[in-house]
Amino acid sequence: MRTPLIILLTAALLGGCFYADEALITRRGADFPVAEGIYTHTPYHPDGRPFDRPTWTGEIERRGWVYASDTAEFPHSNVRLRELVPGIYAAQKRSDEHYLFGLVWVYPDGLVTYHNPSCSDLSDTARETYELVEEMEDGACRIERWDVLSAVLQTYLAEHDGTPRLDGVYRPVE
């Protein structure tokens, strides 16, 4: 059961995304709004339904300029965040070849939700405005500067009424 889950999570993190060849969220620009502690992680199906149970439980901590865990198969190891607007953050995760970007919401009660935006879900007008070209078969778009990434993600949020579908949630364990 673990292998299909890993494939699903990898597809969710890679499909139709925004990416860069270099880190756009630098150490100096990183924010750390997620409190260290024990969390459960529940991914969501592409149709918006959550999995019927958490798929990972472990301690999340800050290590240097990223989030990490000693618990095996932490889905978002080495993620770095930077605030876009209060409570909403751009997330950066290194893949084998690129840096991938997503959106993270951090709530006062410790709940953390995330969404992996797809370049193809951005309007044609926005893609033209920011000169984004869908380069790969999966429709991924390269972004080369933080100011453009920030503007693109904020436009993406506006085009989705600030509430795109959730791809997963981290809940603090009390």
Side-chain angles (χ1 to χ4, degrees):
M1 174 102 169
R2 281 285 207 221
T3 302
L5 174 62
I6 292 169
I7 291 169
L8 176 65
L9 289 173
T10 301
L13 288 172
L14 296 176
C17 65
F18 298 105
Y19 76 96
D21 294 329
E22 302 294 326
L24 301 183
I25 300 175
T26 63
R27 291 178 180 186
R28 184 174 296 156
D31 294 307
F32 296 93
V34 178
E36 294 182 313
I38 306 292
Y39 288 82
T40 63
H41 172 250
T42 305
Y44 281 49
H45 295 277
D47 65 7
R49 292 178 299 116
F51 279 41
D52 60 353
R53 66 187 177 286
T55 59
W56 180 87
T57 301
E59 183 173 9
I60 297 175
E61 60 186 6
R62 178 181 168 184
R63 288 200 193 135
W65 304 102
V66 297
Y67 288 103
S69 179
D70 288 331
T71 305
E73 299 183 27
F74 175 39
H76 294 95
S77 187
N78 298 318
V79 164
R80 189 178 287 168
L81 303 178
R82 183 167 178 183
E83 191 171 52
L84 292 170
V85 297
I88 304 176
Y89 298 81
Q92 172 182 281
K93 180 172 176 44
R94 177 87 168 133
S95 74
D96 291 336
E97 299 176 20
H98 306 289
Y99 289 89
L100 307 176
F101 302 96
L103 291 163
V104 173
W105 288 257
V106 180
Y107 299 92
D109 64 359
L111 186 74
V112 179
T113 61
Y114 65 91
H115 172 70
N116 300 304
S118 175
C119 187
S120 60
D121 288 341
L122 195 61
S123 70
D124 291 339
T125 301
R127 285 197 303 274
E128 288 172 20
T129 298
Y130 299 111
E131 300 177 356
L132 300 178
V133 177
E134 293 183 49
E135 298 179 353
M136 299 179 185
E137 289 178 16
D138 63 0
C141 289
R142 180 191 324 241
I143 297 180
E144 297 180 6
R145 297 187 339 254
W146 165 254
D147 61 326
V148 174
L149 176 64
S150 175
V152 165
L153 291 177
Q154 289 182 58
T155 299
Y156 185 94
L157 283 168
E159 290 184 350
H160 291 84
D161 297 322
T163 57
R165 76 170 193 290
L166 291 181
D167 290 316
V169 62
Y170 283 91
R171 288 183 175 81
V173 175
E174 305 209 8

